[in-house]
Amino acid sequence: MSRVYNFSAGPSCLPEEVLTEAASEMLDYKGSGQSVMEMSHRSAVFKPIIENAENLVRRLMNVPENYKVLFLQGGGSTQFAMIPLNLGVKYKKAAYIDTGTWSTKALKEAAKWIDVDVIASSKDRNYTYIPKVEKITGNYDYVYLCFNNTIKGSHYEYIPETGTIPLCADISSCILSEPLDVSRFGILFAGAQKNLGPAGVTLVIIRDDLITETPLKGTPSMLSYKIHADAGSMYNTPPCYSIYMVGKVLEWVEEQGGAEGMKRRNVEKADMLYDYLDRSSVYHATVEKGSRSLMNVPFLTKEEDPEKAQAINKKFVSEAAAEGLVNLAGHRTVGGMRASIYNAMPLDGVKALIKFMDRFAEENF
């Protein structure tokens, strides 16, 4: 069997060591005679699995004691609704920074229940940069941003100062790619399928004082942070196997040196790829310097004719896949190509991509 280099934006590649260990435990987890896929979430066997995952999150991210760690379902998109429903109770108003597809979706969802102020946007340059908004004031229930933009490939290199206003951030595509000061945020959330594990579970880290007794009227029980927090993420059947896999990935991250180790690894990969793109006469990165993601690197060829560019991009993706470099097609809103180089992507994968890009350029330009 030959493994490919998977550059998918999500679900994405997982560490091979984790997959191998999970495979060895598939039929019999630690002598229980059963797979984690089929055991009761309320069993004595499963309890240490979810407790281990939570403890690893707290340790690796230095989560303060006054924060809850929740394992929920519905992906990041459900958090687009849960945040305004639970936090938008005093002023019924929030501030959003619009930096691309996912923040746009989040603000549109919030606008169904509360007033939304878009206080900054990078739409004017097709979301190719992060606007500088260092200090935010006003009568807002919270401030919302998407810390790393999977589709556009931009990333915050600073944390806005919001004073007493809770700062909420979608960190789905950058969680544990580098250290992050949890105490600067009221809520952090991440869909697992990029840096944490397989799809199916969403990690939520929420400060205790934001877990309100009274969310907006009509909020379903399943969308109440308090209900999930009080039940220890077991108000309903949790995604047991996904949580188990998240625990495995977190153990792997710890073995690699934690968030600091991941940052060193990711900076090396990203610098190598961006340096190549910036020197190239054929390819170029789409995101401005100072806003570039360590995780998602969109790029285009310098073919300006739209029809020819579409054809050459399609050829690039097809020939790359034949070489074992898969899922390199850019998002339809950006076009071109996109290399997602999450924590589990080895440096050799980036080297193989650059080698292919060189050959493709020689043969086609």
Side-chain angles (χ1 to χ4, degrees):
M1 181 190 72
S2 179
R3 294 273 295 169
V4 299
Y5 289 118
N6 178 13
F7 292 93
S8 172
S12 59
C13 60
L14 291 168
E16 288 193 22
E17 302 95 317
V18 169
L19 294 173
T20 300
E21 186 175 347
S24 73
E25 296 177 341
M26 178 57 75
L27 294 179
D28 182 6
Y29 175 73
K30 295 189 182 303
S32 67
Q34 57 188 317
S35 171
V36 177
M37 279 190 178
E38 56 189 350
M39 66 177 55
S40 167
H41 61 294
R42 300 196 184 279
S43 67
V45 187
F46 183 74
K47 185 180 179 183
I49 293 175
I50 192 169
E51 288 177 346
N52 178 58
E54 177 176 341
N55 289 337
L56 283 162
V57 169
R58 289 187 176 278
R59 189 159 68 242
L60 289 168
M61 297 186 69
N62 295 314
V63 178
E65 290 185 5
N66 62 322
Y67 283 72
K68 293 288 189 296
V69 173
L70 306 176
F71 298 100
L72 306 181
Q73 297 178 67
S77 297
T78 298
Q79 296 307 305
F80 300 165
M82 286 186 76
I83 289 172
L85 286 170
N86 287 267
L87 269 65
V89 294
K90 183 177 181 180
Y91 301 110
K92 293 184 173 55
K93 187 177 182 181
Y96 278 68
I97 301 176
D98 180 24
T99 52
T101 303
W102 298 113
S103 55
T104 303
K105 286 178 180 281
L107 69 90
K108 287 182 177 178
E109 188 73 7
K112 295 177 181 178
W113 294 286
I114 63 174
D115 291 332
V116 169
D117 278 356
V118 179
I119 60 172
S121 174
S122 52
K123 187 176 181 180
D124 61 324
R125 297 206 295 272
N126 196 28
Y127 299 114
T128 56
Y129 72 100
I130 297 294
K132 198 72 172 175
V133 188
E134 295 184 347
K135 189 172 183 179
I136 301 165
T137 60
N139 292 328
Y140 296 117
D141 289 310
Y142 62 89
V143 175
Y144 182 100
L145 54 83
C146 183
F147 211 70
N148 187 85
N149 295 284
T150 317
I151 291 173
K152 300 297 183 180
S154 61
H155 174 70
Y156 280 80
E157 294 190 356
Y158 73 100
I159 300 174
E161 177 58 57
T162 62
T164 59
I165 309 171
L167 179 59
C168 306
D170 179 352
I171 57 170
S172 295
S173 54
C174 64
I175 187 169
L176 283 170
S177 62
E178 59 185 342
L180 187 65
D181 185 354
V182 173
S183 68
R184 297 285 301 277
F185 298 85
I187 295 178
L188 292 167
F189 71 88
Q193 67 274 13
K194 302 177 189 296
N195 254 352
L196 289 178
V201 62
T202 300
L203 174 68
V204 175
I205 302 171
I206 177 170
R207 205 172 65 217
D208 289 346
D209 62 295
L210 301 179
I211 301 175
T212 177
E213 293 270 2
T214 53
L216 291 180
K217 185 178 179 181
T219 297
S221 297
M222 278 294 292
L223 299 185
S224 165
Y225 287 127
K226 180 170 174 52
I227 285 176
H228 288 292
D230 287 350
S233 299
M234 291 195 189
Y235 173 70
N236 67 320
T237 305
C240 298
Y241 196 78
S242 293
I243 293 170
Y244 156 81
M245 288 295 291
V246 166
K248 294 287 188 191
V249 172
L250 293 173
E251 288 171 353
W252 176 84
V253 168
E254 190 166 50
E255 290 167 2
Q256 309 307 308
E260 287 286 358
M262 288 294 100
K263 182 179 179 180
R264 288 191 295 272
R265 174 188 177 105
N266 292 326
V267 167
E268 184 178 10
K269 290 184 293 181
D271 281 354
M272 180 178 291
L273 185 51
Y274 283 122
D275 287 348
Y276 174 80
L277 292 168
D278 289 341
R279 294 194 314 268
S280 176
S281 61
V282 173
Y283 309 99
H284 66 95
T286 59
V287 176
E288 299 175 14
K289 292 180 180 181
S291 296
R292 290 176 171 179
S293 171
L294 291 177
M295 299 283 92
N296 311 101
V297 185
F299 60 95
L300 303 172
T301 66
K302 294 184 178 178
E303 174 57 67
E304 295 183 358
D305 180 89
E307 282 192 21
K308 290 181 180 179
Q310 188 174 15
I312 201 73
N313 294 343
K314 187 176 181 181
K315 185 180 183 185
F316 180 102
V317 171
S318 175
E319 293 187 6
E323 296 287 326
L325 308 167
V326 302
N327 296 315
L328 280 163
H331 192 271
R332 62 185 179 276
T333 62
V334 179
M337 284 69 66
R338 172 179 52 176
S340 291
I341 50 176
Y342 295 120
N343 286 350
M345 174 61 66
L347 182 63
D348 283 347
V350 176
K351 290 179 178 177
L353 173 59
I354 290 173
K355 184 178 179 180
F356 169 78
M357 291 170 73
D358 262 341
R359 188 173 76 249
F360 186 86
E362 289 175 8
E363 295 172 354
N364 293 275
F365 289 90

